[in-house]
Amino acid sequence: MPGLSEFSLIKQYFEKVSTPQSDVLLGIGDDCAIVQADINQQIAISVDTLVEGIHFLPNADPESLGHKSLAVSLSDLAAMGATPTWFTLALTLPEIKESWLAGFAKGLATLAKQHQIALIGGDTTRGPLSITIQVNGFVKTEQALRRNGACPGDDIYVSGTLGDAGAGLKLKQNQLNVQQGKQQQEVFLQQRLDKPTPKIELGRALRGIANSAIDISDGLVADLSHILEKSQVGADIELEALPISSALMDIVSKEQAEQLALYGGDDYELCFTVPPEKQDALKKIKGNYTKIGTTTNEPRKVVFYRDGQQAELIGKGYEHFSIED
Ligand code: ADP
Ligand code: MG
């Protein structure tokens, strides 16, 4: 823990983040927080750490970082169909810099408010910049969306568009040659990397409809493979169906866009499977999602198609776009 005046500073910034909620009986300021559990619901819990230089680039904008730190954890709640309730924040800071704290707290508070999730406590230490957020959410008893529920013959869907964040990272690292006049597209792709939108509403709406779900943090192929592994099914994927944003199409070739959509990380969209008898119920859900394939009875086997013809993928997985490796 830093010195007393420094601590009061931190407290000041993070008490501001803490939105009042009736189920928070004791928030920041004591040895523990106390919250009111709900007997009719189960609690989904997840924790994620972001380390400077590993998960985000050095000198990242603090407000975006505040947003992203919470967004990646909220995305895990979305993938379970859970409703966010409380979170804790463990911060390791190399120094106490007020402008950094103000920006970080603003990004965090804005997203927290949007999803009505209360900051109820945390820890502050000195060291290389690292942010750990633990989130809690309510999910109706036995209704959580899990990775192990897919059955052969389910349709496979993804939300939003894929590959944008991977391209955003390449842009930041000057690894893409972009023609003049594409600034708008560049800004869009970098925003997709810096400020992902956790798909909380979609996740909640999919309860009772999807057989399985996961959020796409490491790339579609990597994350879908977790569903295939846990559910012991395979997948037929139609490459022409992959949802690609017009911004991404404007910036890279079709082949690159496809590679980014399949293997790029950090999109934080949902991938989920829906059985045939739930397709009508799915159609009633508002939101942006696209069917990209079907599950099969060949455990873990992924077969790609292009316009219905089996396709060989060139350079399959040869490049990993995450800065994590
Ligand atoms: P302790 O020594 O009992 O661990 P601390 O001095 O670490 O207590 O923290 C005092 C209070 O401030 C606790 O309620 C803790 O949850 C809260 N707190 C500390 N750091 C943070 C932070 N980064 N974000 C939110 N709350 C924090
Ligand atoms: Mg402590």
Side-chain angles (χ1 to χ4, degrees):
M1 198 192 96
L4 201 60
S5 60
E6 291 178 338
F7 183 70
S8 62
L9 198 71
I10 290 163
K11 204 163 159 243
Q12 179 204 323
Y13 278 110
F14 293 114
E15 271 180 359
K16 268 193 239 163
V17 177
S18 186
T19 43
Q21 258 174 230
S22 59
D23 56 7
V24 179
L25 307 178
L26 188 58
I28 292 175
D30 212 312
D31 293 313
C32 287
I34 305 212
V35 291
Q36 186 62 54
D38 180 336
I39 193 118
N40 299 311
Q41 311 235 44
Q42 295 177 330
I43 299 179
I45 303 172
S46 174
V47 64
D48 274 300
T49 295
L50 301 185
V51 177
E52 184 175 56
I54 308 285
H55 304 97
F56 58 91
L57 298 170
N59 302 316
D61 167 54
E63 192 176 332
S64 299
L65 205 51
H67 173 103
K68 187 158 180 172
S69 307
L70 182 56
V72 302
S73 289
L74 285 173
S75 180
D76 284 323
L77 291 180
M80 301 301 285
T83 303
T85 50
W86 321 295
F87 75 106
T88 55
L89 165 70
L91 257 187
T92 304
L93 300 169
E95 59 183 336
I96 306 289
K97 211 165 137 195
E98 234 180 303
S99 59
W100 190 92
L101 278 173
F104 181 81
K106 189 175 173 205
L108 199 65
T110 307
L111 190 64
K113 208 167 178 184
Q114 209 176 312
H115 291 284
Q116 292 172 311
I117 185 167
L119 177 61
I120 55 169
D123 194 27
T124 310
T125 50
R126 203 182 284 277
L129 181 59
S130 134
I131 302 141
T132 297
I133 287 186
Q134 184 252 3
V135 286
N136 304 265
F138 281 135
V139 62
K140 281 197 194 122
T141 304
E142 298 297 320
Q143 284 208 3
L145 303 171
R146 295 165 61 160
R147 298 178 179 185
N148 67 357
C151 297
D154 284 1
D155 281 338
I156 304 170
Y157 290 85
V158 293
S159 66
T161 54
L162 299 179
D164 298 328
L169 178 61
K170 284 192 155 272
L171 284 169
K172 267 195 209 306
Q173 294 177 320
N174 289 320
Q175 288 177 16
L176 287 181
N177 290 324
V178 184
Q179 297 160 2
Q180 295 283 313
K182 303 277 185 193
Q183 282 84 354
Q184 237 179 318
Q185 289 90 332
E186 285 190 56
V187 168
F188 170 83
L189 296 172
Q190 296 204 12
Q191 281 285 106
R192 291 274 289 151
L193 174 69
D194 290 339
K195 292 212 158 173
T197 307
K199 300 298 179 304
I200 295 288
E201 288 76 18
L202 179 60
R204 289 180 56 181
L206 288 172
R207 291 190 302 214
I209 293 175
N211 271 348
S212 67
I214 192 166
D215 67 319
I216 306 175
S217 52
D218 297 331
L220 173 65
V221 171
D223 288 311
L224 174 63
S225 75
H226 296 309
I227 288 186
L228 304 185
E229 176 80 40
K230 292 268 183 184
S231 301
Q232 287 299 298
V233 295
D236 287 344
I237 301 293
E238 173 53 60
L239 295 168
E240 296 294 327
L242 293 173
I244 311 252
S245 68
S246 55
L248 185 56
M249 286 304 274
D250 281 352
I251 293 259
V252 300
S253 67
K254 190 174 174 232
E255 292 70 35
Q256 266 183 306
E258 199 169 83
Q259 288 279 309
L260 284 160
L262 291 171
Y263 304 108
D266 263 3
D267 280 322
Y268 297 101
E269 296 294 343
L270 296 184
C271 174
F272 54 96
T273 75
V274 177
E277 68 272 17
K278 296 286 170 66
Q279 298 296 333
D280 285 344
L282 176 68
K283 281 192 195 112
K284 294 194 182 108
I285 298 180
K286 287 196 203 87
N288 181 11
Y289 47 87
T290 308
K291 180 183 162 185
I292 59 159
T294 314
T295 53
T296 65
N297 58 11
E298 291 183 86
R300 299 184 304 281
K301 187 172 181 189
V302 182
V303 183
F304 293 99
Y305 293 83
R306 192 181 300 286
D307 292 325
Q309 300 289 319
Q310 200 167 326
E312 282 299 316
L313 276 187
I314 302 154
K316 180 182 165 190
Y318 80 104
E319 228 173 346
H320 196 282
F321 296 96
S322 166
I323 56 169
E324 212 165 319
D325 292 332

